[in-house]
PDB file of all heavy atoms in Angstrom:
ATOM      1  N   SER A  55      -1.999   8.308   1.529  1.00  0.00           N
ATOM      2  CA  SER A  55      -2.961   7.289   1.135  1.00  0.00           C
ATOM      3  C   SER A  55      -2.399   6.412   0.028  1.00  0.00           C
ATOM      4  O   SER A  55      -1.777   6.912  -0.907  1.00  0.00           O
ATOM      5  CB  SER A  55      -4.241   7.976   0.642  1.00  0.00           C
ATOM      6  OG  SER A  55      -5.180   7.042   0.201  1.00  0.00           O
ATOM      7  N   VAL A  56      -2.634   5.103   0.156  1.00  0.00           N
ATOM      8  CA  VAL A  56      -2.264   4.159  -0.894  1.00  0.00           C
ATOM      9  C   VAL A  56      -3.450   3.214  -1.078  1.00  0.00           C
ATOM     10  O   VAL A  56      -3.977   2.683  -0.101  1.00  0.00           O
ATOM     11  CB  VAL A  56      -1.001   3.339  -0.531  1.00  0.00           C
ATOM     12  CG1 VAL A  56      -0.652   2.358  -1.643  1.00  0.00           C
ATOM     13  CG2 VAL A  56       0.182   4.234  -0.234  1.00  0.00           C
ATOM     14  N   ARG A  57      -3.878   3.032  -2.313  1.00  0.00           N
ATOM     15  CA  ARG A  57      -4.951   2.070  -2.634  1.00  0.00           C
ATOM     16  C   ARG A  57      -4.387   1.062  -3.611  1.00  0.00           C
ATOM     17  O   ARG A  57      -3.832   1.435  -4.640  1.00  0.00           O
ATOM     18  CB  ARG A  57      -6.168   2.777  -3.212  1.00  0.00           C
ATOM     19  CG  ARG A  57      -6.862   3.625  -2.165  1.00  0.00           C
ATOM     20  CD  ARG A  57      -8.056   4.418  -2.649  1.00  0.00           C
ATOM     21  NE  ARG A  57      -8.514   4.170  -3.982  1.00  0.00           N
ATOM     22  CZ  ARG A  57      -9.769   3.837  -4.296  1.00  0.00           C
ATOM     23  NH1 ARG A  57     -10.675   3.723  -3.364  1.00  0.00           N
ATOM     24  NH2 ARG A  57     -10.107   3.653  -5.559  1.00  0.00           N
ATOM     25  N   ILE A  58      -4.561  -0.243  -3.274  1.00  0.00           N
ATOM     26  CA  ILE A  58      -3.960  -1.327  -4.019  1.00  0.00           C
ATOM     27  C   ILE A  58      -5.053  -2.244  -4.552  1.00  0.00           C
ATOM     28  O   ILE A  58      -5.937  -2.666  -3.795  1.00  0.00           O
ATOM     29  CB  ILE A  58      -3.009  -2.131  -3.107  1.00  0.00           C
ATOM     30  CG1 ILE A  58      -1.958  -1.197  -2.499  1.00  0.00           C
ATOM     31  CG2 ILE A  58      -2.358  -3.278  -3.874  1.00  0.00           C
ATOM     32  CD1 ILE A  58      -1.358  -1.697  -1.222  1.00  0.00           C
ATOM     33  N   ASN A  59      -4.989  -2.562  -5.844  1.00  0.00           N
ATOM     34  CA  ASN A  59      -5.920  -3.507  -6.445  1.00  0.00           C
ATOM     35  C   ASN A  59      -5.519  -4.906  -5.976  1.00  0.00           C
ATOM     36  O   ASN A  59      -4.408  -5.356  -6.223  1.00  0.00           O
ATOM     37  CB  ASN A  59      -5.851  -3.415  -7.963  1.00  0.00           C
ATOM     38  CG  ASN A  59      -6.805  -4.364  -8.662  1.00  0.00           C
ATOM     39  OD1 ASN A  59      -7.417  -5.218  -8.045  1.00  0.00           O
ATOM     40  ND2 ASN A  59      -6.912  -4.202  -9.966  1.00  0.00           N
ATOM     41  N   ALA A  60      -6.459  -5.591  -5.308  1.00  0.00           N
ATOM     42  CA  ALA A  60      -6.195  -6.939  -4.798  1.00  0.00           C
ATOM     43  C   ALA A  60      -7.169  -7.936  -5.417  1.00  0.00           C
ATOM     44  O   ALA A  60      -7.588  -8.886  -4.772  1.00  0.00           O
ATOM     45  CB  ALA A  60      -6.285  -6.944  -3.283  1.00  0.00           C
ATOM     46  N   GLY A  61      -7.551  -7.702  -6.652  1.00  0.00           N
ATOM     47  CA  GLY A  61      -8.466  -8.612  -7.341  1.00  0.00           C
ATOM     48  C   GLY A  61      -9.916  -8.272  -7.068  1.00  0.00           C
ATOM     49  O   GLY A  61     -10.425  -7.295  -7.585  1.00  0.00           O
ATOM     50  N   LYS A  62     -10.583  -9.047  -6.212  1.00  0.00           N
ATOM     51  CA  LYS A  62     -12.002  -8.832  -5.931  1.00  0.00           C
ATOM     52  C   LYS A  62     -12.246  -7.674  -4.974  1.00  0.00           C
ATOM     53  O   LYS A  62     -13.381  -7.306  -4.731  1.00  0.00           O
ATOM     54  CB  LYS A  62     -12.615 -10.097  -5.350  1.00  0.00           C
ATOM     55  CG  LYS A  62     -12.633 -11.248  -6.323  1.00  0.00           C
ATOM     56  CD  LYS A  62     -13.286 -12.466  -5.720  1.00  0.00           C
ATOM     57  CE  LYS A  62     -13.292 -13.602  -6.725  1.00  0.00           C
ATOM     58  NZ  LYS A  62     -13.915 -14.803  -6.181  1.00  0.00           N
ATOM     59  N   TYR A  63     -11.214  -7.122  -4.408  1.00  0.00           N
ATOM     60  CA  TYR A  63     -11.363  -6.009  -3.470  1.00  0.00           C
ATOM     61  C   TYR A  63     -10.162  -5.074  -3.573  1.00  0.00           C
ATOM     62  O   TYR A  63      -9.220  -5.330  -4.319  1.00  0.00           O
ATOM     63  CB  TYR A  63     -11.543  -6.528  -2.040  1.00  0.00           C
ATOM     64  CG  TYR A  63     -10.436  -7.435  -1.592  1.00  0.00           C
ATOM     65  CD1 TYR A  63      -9.335  -6.929  -0.936  1.00  0.00           C
ATOM     66  CD2 TYR A  63     -10.480  -8.797  -1.851  1.00  0.00           C
ATOM     67  CE1 TYR A  63      -8.306  -7.756  -0.545  1.00  0.00           C
ATOM     68  CE2 TYR A  63      -9.459  -9.630  -1.460  1.00  0.00           C
ATOM     69  CZ  TYR A  63      -8.376  -9.104  -0.811  1.00  0.00           C
ATOM     70  OH  TYR A  63      -7.360  -9.919  -0.426  1.00  0.00           O
ATOM     71  N   ILE A  64     -10.202  -4.006  -2.805  1.00  0.00           N
ATOM     72  CA  ILE A  64      -9.141  -3.005  -2.765  1.00  0.00           C
ATOM     73  C   ILE A  64      -8.621  -2.931  -1.337  1.00  0.00           C
ATOM     74  O   ILE A  64      -9.403  -2.922  -0.387  1.00  0.00           O
ATOM     75  CB  ILE A  64      -9.670  -1.628  -3.211  1.00  0.00           C
ATOM     76  CG1 ILE A  64     -10.095  -1.692  -4.682  1.00  0.00           C
ATOM     77  CG2 ILE A  64      -8.629  -0.534  -2.989  1.00  0.00           C
ATOM     78  CD1 ILE A  64     -10.873  -0.479  -5.137  1.00  0.00           C
ATOM     79  N   VAL A  65      -7.310  -2.877  -1.174  1.00  0.00           N
ATOM     80  CA  VAL A  65      -6.692  -2.642   0.124  1.00  0.00           C
ATOM     81  C   VAL A  65      -6.313  -1.166   0.157  1.00  0.00           C
ATOM     82  O   VAL A  65      -5.555  -0.695  -0.692  1.00  0.00           O
ATOM     83  CB  VAL A  65      -5.445  -3.523   0.341  1.00  0.00           C
ATOM     84  CG1 VAL A  65      -4.770  -3.186   1.667  1.00  0.00           C
ATOM     85  CG2 VAL A  65      -5.800  -4.993   0.282  1.00  0.00           C
ATOM     86  N   ALA A  66      -6.880  -0.439   1.118  1.00  0.00           N
ATOM     87  CA  ALA A  66      -6.603   0.997   1.239  1.00  0.00           C
ATOM     88  C   ALA A  66      -5.816   1.253   2.524  1.00  0.00           C
ATOM     89  O   ALA A  66      -6.191   0.770   3.596  1.00  0.00           O
ATOM     90  CB  ALA A  66      -7.905   1.788   1.255  1.00  0.00           C
ATOM     91  N   LEU A  67      -4.737   1.984   2.413  1.00  0.00           N
ATOM     92  CA  LEU A  67      -3.920   2.374   3.567  1.00  0.00           C
ATOM     93  C   LEU A  67      -4.017   3.874   3.739  1.00  0.00           C
ATOM     94  O   LEU A  67      -4.029   4.622   2.763  1.00  0.00           O
ATOM     95  CB  LEU A  67      -2.453   2.011   3.352  1.00  0.00           C
ATOM     96  CG  LEU A  67      -2.094   0.577   3.026  1.00  0.00           C
ATOM     97  CD1 LEU A  67      -0.610   0.476   2.711  1.00  0.00           C
ATOM     98  CD2 LEU A  67      -2.442  -0.324   4.172  1.00  0.00           C
ATOM     99  N   ARG A  68      -4.038   4.312   4.978  1.00  0.00           N
ATOM    100  CA  ARG A  68      -3.962   5.740   5.286  1.00  0.00           C
ATOM    101  C   ARG A  68      -2.884   5.914   6.340  1.00  0.00           C
ATOM    102  O   ARG A  68      -2.613   5.021   7.129  1.00  0.00           O
ATOM    103  CB  ARG A  68      -5.291   6.239   5.827  1.00  0.00           C
ATOM    104  CG  ARG A  68      -6.434   6.012   4.881  1.00  0.00           C
ATOM    105  CD  ARG A  68      -7.182   7.290   4.596  1.00  0.00           C
ATOM    106  NE  ARG A  68      -8.406   7.006   3.873  1.00  0.00           N
ATOM    107  CZ  ARG A  68      -8.492   6.919   2.565  1.00  0.00           C
ATOM    108  NH1 ARG A  68      -7.437   7.081   1.828  1.00  0.00           N
ATOM    109  NH2 ARG A  68      -9.653   6.679   1.974  1.00  0.00           N
ATOM    110  N   GLY A  69      -2.264   7.076   6.331  1.00  0.00           N
ATOM    111  CA  GLY A  69      -1.216   7.337   7.303  1.00  0.00           C
ATOM    112  C   GLY A  69      -0.445   8.595   6.950  1.00  0.00           C
ATOM    113  O   GLY A  69      -0.952   9.481   6.258  1.00  0.00           O
ATOM    114  N   ARG A  70       0.793   8.651   7.434  1.00  0.00           N
ATOM    115  CA  ARG A  70       1.670   9.806   7.190  1.00  0.00           C
ATOM    116  C   ARG A  70       3.010   9.300   6.652  1.00  0.00           C
ATOM    117  O   ARG A  70       3.523   8.289   7.104  1.00  0.00           O
ATOM    118  CB  ARG A  70       1.909  10.573   8.484  1.00  0.00           C
ATOM    119  CG  ARG A  70       0.673  11.205   9.047  1.00  0.00           C
ATOM    120  CD  ARG A  70       0.979  12.116  10.242  1.00  0.00           C
ATOM    121  NE  ARG A  70       1.723  11.459  11.316  1.00  0.00           N
ATOM    122  CZ  ARG A  70       1.191  10.775  12.324  1.00  0.00           C
ATOM    123  NH1 ARG A  70      -0.114  10.622  12.394  1.00  0.00           N
ATOM    124  NH2 ARG A  70       1.944  10.248  13.258  1.00  0.00           N
ATOM    125  N   GLY A  71       3.534  10.004   5.699  1.00  0.00           N
ATOM    126  CA  GLY A  71       4.846   9.659   5.145  1.00  0.00           C
ATOM    127  C   GLY A  71       4.894   8.291   4.483  1.00  0.00           C
ATOM    128  O   GLY A  71       5.935   7.639   4.495  1.00  0.00           O
ATOM    129  N   LEU A  72       3.788   7.867   3.888  1.00  0.00           N
ATOM    130  CA  LEU A  72       3.752   6.560   3.235  1.00  0.00           C
ATOM    131  C   LEU A  72       4.558   6.604   1.943  1.00  0.00           C
ATOM    132  O   LEU A  72       4.439   7.541   1.161  1.00  0.00           O
ATOM    133  CB  LEU A  72       2.306   6.158   2.926  1.00  0.00           C
ATOM    134  CG  LEU A  72       1.364   6.035   4.121  1.00  0.00           C
ATOM    135  CD1 LEU A  72      -0.044   5.688   3.643  1.00  0.00           C
ATOM    136  CD2 LEU A  72       1.865   5.013   5.115  1.00  0.00           C
ATOM    137  N   HIS A  73       5.391   5.604   1.746  1.00  0.00           N
ATOM    138  CA  HIS A  73       6.153   5.527   0.500  1.00  0.00           C
ATOM    139  C   HIS A  73       6.431   4.061   0.157  1.00  0.00           C
ATOM    140  O   HIS A  73       6.551   3.215   1.033  1.00  0.00           O
ATOM    141  CB  HIS A  73       7.449   6.341   0.571  1.00  0.00           C
ATOM    142  CG  HIS A  73       8.390   5.906   1.651  1.00  0.00           C
ATOM    143  ND1 HIS A  73       8.242   6.285   2.960  1.00  0.00           N
ATOM    144  CD2 HIS A  73       9.466   5.106   1.611  1.00  0.00           C
ATOM    145  CE1 HIS A  73       9.199   5.752   3.687  1.00  0.00           C
ATOM    146  NE2 HIS A  73       9.959   5.028   2.894  1.00  0.00           N
ATOM    147  N   ILE A  74       6.487   3.786  -1.128  1.00  0.00           N
ATOM    148  CA  ILE A  74       6.771   2.454  -1.622  1.00  0.00           C
ATOM    149  C   ILE A  74       8.283   2.280  -1.645  1.00  0.00           C
ATOM    150  O   ILE A  74       8.997   3.002  -2.332  1.00  0.00           O
ATOM    151  CB  ILE A  74       6.170   2.235  -3.022  1.00  0.00           C
ATOM    152  CG1 ILE A  74       4.641   2.333  -2.950  1.00  0.00           C
ATOM    153  CG2 ILE A  74       6.588   0.887  -3.584  1.00  0.00           C
ATOM    154  CD1 ILE A  74       3.942   2.305  -4.276  1.00  0.00           C
ATOM    155  N   VAL A  75       8.751   1.311  -0.858  1.00  0.00           N
ATOM    156  CA  VAL A  75      10.183   1.051  -0.757  1.00  0.00           C
ATOM    157  C   VAL A  75      10.648   0.184  -1.919  1.00  0.00           C
ATOM    158  O   VAL A  75      11.688   0.433  -2.508  1.00  0.00           O
ATOM    159  CB  VAL A  75      10.518   0.360   0.586  1.00  0.00           C
ATOM    160  CG1 VAL A  75      11.979  -0.018   0.661  1.00  0.00           C
ATOM    161  CG2 VAL A  75      10.123   1.245   1.744  1.00  0.00           C
ATOM    162  N   SER A  76       9.865  -0.854  -2.233  1.00  0.00           N
ATOM    163  CA  SER A  76      10.193  -1.698  -3.378  1.00  0.00           C
ATOM    164  C   SER A  76       8.906  -2.266  -3.955  1.00  0.00           C
ATOM    165  O   SER A  76       7.899  -2.403  -3.270  1.00  0.00           O
ATOM    166  CB  SER A  76      11.161  -2.819  -2.997  1.00  0.00           C
ATOM    167  OG  SER A  76      10.565  -3.702  -2.077  1.00  0.00           O
ATOM    168  N   MET A  77       8.983  -2.597  -5.250  1.00  0.00           N
ATOM    169  CA  MET A  77       7.795  -3.073  -5.941  1.00  0.00           C
ATOM    170  C   MET A  77       8.223  -3.977  -7.093  1.00  0.00           C
ATOM    171  O   MET A  77       9.156  -3.656  -7.817  1.00  0.00           O
ATOM    172  CB  MET A  77       7.014  -1.876  -6.471  1.00  0.00           C
ATOM    173  CG  MET A  77       5.716  -2.201  -7.122  1.00  0.00           C
ATOM    174  SD  MET A  77       4.786  -0.676  -7.346  1.00  0.00           S
ATOM    175  CE  MET A  77       4.276  -0.897  -9.019  1.00  0.00           C
ATOM    176  N   THR A  78       7.539  -5.117  -7.199  1.00  0.00           N
ATOM    177  CA  THR A  78       7.722  -6.001  -8.336  1.00  0.00           C
ATOM    178  C   THR A  78       6.373  -6.101  -9.039  1.00  0.00           C
ATOM    179  O   THR A  78       5.436  -5.378  -8.689  1.00  0.00           O
ATOM    180  CB  THR A  78       8.198  -7.409  -7.912  1.00  0.00           C
ATOM    181  OG1 THR A  78       7.167  -8.042  -7.163  1.00  0.00           O
ATOM    182  CG2 THR A  78       9.473  -7.346  -7.097  1.00  0.00           C
ATOM    183  N   GLU A  79       6.242  -7.011  -9.973  1.00  0.00           N
ATOM    184  CA  GLU A  79       4.988  -7.153 -10.717  1.00  0.00           C
ATOM    185  C   GLU A  79       3.798  -7.418  -9.793  1.00  0.00           C
ATOM    186  O   GLU A  79       2.693  -6.941 -10.043  1.00  0.00           O
ATOM    187  CB  GLU A  79       5.119  -8.292 -11.728  1.00  0.00           C
ATOM    188  CG  GLU A  79       3.928  -8.427 -12.635  1.00  0.00           C
ATOM    189  CD  GLU A  79       4.162  -9.483 -13.700  1.00  0.00           C
ATOM    190  OE1 GLU A  79       5.237  -9.469 -14.327  1.00  0.00           O
ATOM    191  OE2 GLU A  79       3.249 -10.309 -13.897  1.00  0.00           O
ATOM    192  N   SER A  80       3.997  -8.175  -8.710  1.00  0.00           N
ATOM    193  CA  SER A  80       2.867  -8.509  -7.837  1.00  0.00           C
ATOM    194  C   SER A  80       3.122  -8.270  -6.351  1.00  0.00           C
ATOM    195  O   SER A  80       2.235  -8.496  -5.538  1.00  0.00           O
ATOM    196  CB  SER A  80       2.469  -9.973  -8.042  1.00  0.00           C
ATOM    197  OG  SER A  80       3.519 -10.820  -7.642  1.00  0.00           O
ATOM    198  N   ASP A  81       4.301  -7.817  -5.968  1.00  0.00           N
ATOM    199  CA  ASP A  81       4.637  -7.627  -4.559  1.00  0.00           C
ATOM    200  C   ASP A  81       5.091  -6.197  -4.307  1.00  0.00           C
ATOM    201  O   ASP A  81       5.657  -5.559  -5.185  1.00  0.00           O
ATOM    202  CB  ASP A  81       5.770  -8.569  -4.151  1.00  0.00           C
ATOM    203  CG  ASP A  81       5.463 -10.030  -4.412  1.00  0.00           C
ATOM    204  OD1 ASP A  81       4.270 -10.373  -4.518  1.00  0.00           O
ATOM    205  OD2 ASP A  81       6.415 -10.812  -4.510  1.00  0.00           O
ATOM    206  N   LEU A  82       4.836  -5.718  -3.079  1.00  0.00           N
ATOM    207  CA  LEU A  82       5.321  -4.381  -2.730  1.00  0.00           C
ATOM    208  C   LEU A  82       5.544  -4.249  -1.239  1.00  0.00           C
ATOM    209  O   LEU A  82       4.956  -4.967  -0.443  1.00  0.00           O
ATOM    210  CB  LEU A  82       4.386  -3.297  -3.236  1.00  0.00           C
ATOM    211  CG  LEU A  82       2.958  -3.286  -2.754  1.00  0.00           C
ATOM    212  CD1 LEU A  82       2.729  -2.073  -1.881  1.00  0.00           C
ATOM    213  CD2 LEU A  82       2.051  -3.218  -3.952  1.00  0.00           C
ATOM    214  N   VAL A  83       6.427  -3.324  -0.889  1.00  0.00           N
ATOM    215  CA  VAL A  83       6.725  -2.987   0.495  1.00  0.00           C
ATOM    216  C   VAL A  83       6.443  -1.504   0.663  1.00  0.00           C
ATOM    217  O   VAL A  83       6.937  -0.680  -0.111  1.00  0.00           O
ATOM    218  CB  VAL A  83       8.199  -3.286   0.857  1.00  0.00           C
ATOM    219  CG1 VAL A  83       8.503  -2.836   2.281  1.00  0.00           C
ATOM    220  CG2 VAL A  83       8.517  -4.757   0.684  1.00  0.00           C
ATOM    221  N   ILE A  84       5.619  -1.170   1.673  1.00  0.00           N
ATOM    222  CA  ILE A  84       5.270   0.219   1.955  1.00  0.00           C
ATOM    223  C   ILE A  84       5.727   0.543   3.365  1.00  0.00           C
ATOM    224  O   ILE A  84       5.423  -0.193   4.312  1.00  0.00           O
ATOM    225  CB  ILE A  84       3.753   0.445   1.826  1.00  0.00           C
ATOM    226  CG1 ILE A  84       3.307   0.145   0.399  1.00  0.00           C
ATOM    227  CG2 ILE A  84       3.380   1.867   2.238  1.00  0.00           C
ATOM    228  CD1 ILE A  84       1.815   0.141   0.200  1.00  0.00           C
ATOM    229  N   ASN A  85       6.460   1.638   3.514  1.00  0.00           N
ATOM    230  CA  ASN A  85       6.893   2.134   4.819  1.00  0.00           C
ATOM    231  C   ASN A  85       6.201   3.447   5.116  1.00  0.00           C
ATOM    232  O   ASN A  85       5.748   4.142   4.208  1.00  0.00           O
ATOM    233  CB  ASN A  85       8.406   2.356   4.847  1.00  0.00           C
ATOM    234  CG  ASN A  85       9.186   1.073   5.021  1.00  0.00           C
ATOM    235  OD1 ASN A  85       8.626  -0.001   5.206  1.00  0.00           O
ATOM    236  ND2 ASN A  85      10.489   1.188   4.943  1.00  0.00           N
ATOM    237  N   GLY A  86       6.161   3.809   6.373  1.00  0.00           N
ATOM    238  CA  GLY A  86       5.569   5.054   6.828  1.00  0.00           C
ATOM    239  C   GLY A  86       4.823   4.807   8.119  1.00  0.00           C
ATOM    240  O   GLY A  86       4.946   3.743   8.739  1.00  0.00           O
ATOM    241  N   PHE A  87       4.049   5.773   8.554  1.00  0.00           N
ATOM    242  CA  PHE A  87       3.246   5.653   9.768  1.00  0.00           C
ATOM    243  C   PHE A  87       1.835   5.281   9.349  1.00  0.00           C
ATOM    244  O   PHE A  87       1.067   6.127   8.887  1.00  0.00           O
ATOM    245  CB  PHE A  87       3.269   6.979  10.541  1.00  0.00           C
ATOM    246  CG  PHE A  87       2.627   6.890  11.888  1.00  0.00           C
ATOM    247  CD1 PHE A  87       3.335   6.369  12.960  1.00  0.00           C
ATOM    248  CD2 PHE A  87       1.327   7.303  12.080  1.00  0.00           C
ATOM    249  CE1 PHE A  87       2.743   6.275  14.206  1.00  0.00           C
ATOM    250  CE2 PHE A  87       0.733   7.223  13.323  1.00  0.00           C
ATOM    251  CZ  PHE A  87       1.437   6.705  14.394  1.00  0.00           C
ATOM    252  N   ILE A  88       1.489   3.993   9.450  1.00  0.00           N
ATOM    253  CA  ILE A  88       0.199   3.481   8.988  1.00  0.00           C
ATOM    254  C   ILE A  88      -0.838   3.631  10.097  1.00  0.00           C
ATOM    255  O   ILE A  88      -0.643   3.122  11.200  1.00  0.00           O
ATOM    256  CB  ILE A  88       0.317   2.003   8.564  1.00  0.00           C
ATOM    257  CG1 ILE A  88       1.340   1.860   7.431  1.00  0.00           C
ATOM    258  CG2 ILE A  88      -1.050   1.458   8.132  1.00  0.00           C
ATOM    259  CD1 ILE A  88       1.761   0.427   7.147  1.00  0.00           C
ATOM    260  N   THR A  89      -1.926   4.344   9.804  1.00  0.00           N
ATOM    261  CA  THR A  89      -2.977   4.554  10.805  1.00  0.00           C
ATOM    262  C   THR A  89      -4.243   3.768  10.518  1.00  0.00           C
ATOM    263  O   THR A  89      -5.058   3.559  11.413  1.00  0.00           O
ATOM    264  CB  THR A  89      -3.350   6.042  10.924  1.00  0.00           C
ATOM    265  OG1 THR A  89      -3.764   6.520   9.646  1.00  0.00           O
ATOM    266  CG2 THR A  89      -2.160   6.862  11.416  1.00  0.00           C
TER     267      THR A  89
END
């Protein structure tokens, strides 16, 4: 599970083997099996 603050709402991801590949102050890349 990954939950991301997107200002007025939250983006929630669920899946298996989720991991953050890269992240900057405002950008990110998440890999894994997203369900």
Side-chain angles (χ1 to χ4, degrees):
S55 178
V56 180
R57 291 178 8 126
I58 304 156
N59 181 351
K62 295 182 180 180
Y63 56 92
I64 295 169
V65 176
L67 305 174
R68 302 234 190 272
R70 295 187 305 272
L72 300 178
H73 60 279
I74 297 173
V75 175
S76 64
M77 184 168 133
T78 66
E79 186 175 313
S80 64
D81 304 338
L82 60 112
V83 176
I84 299 172
N85 282 355
F87 188 81
I88 300 167
T89 57

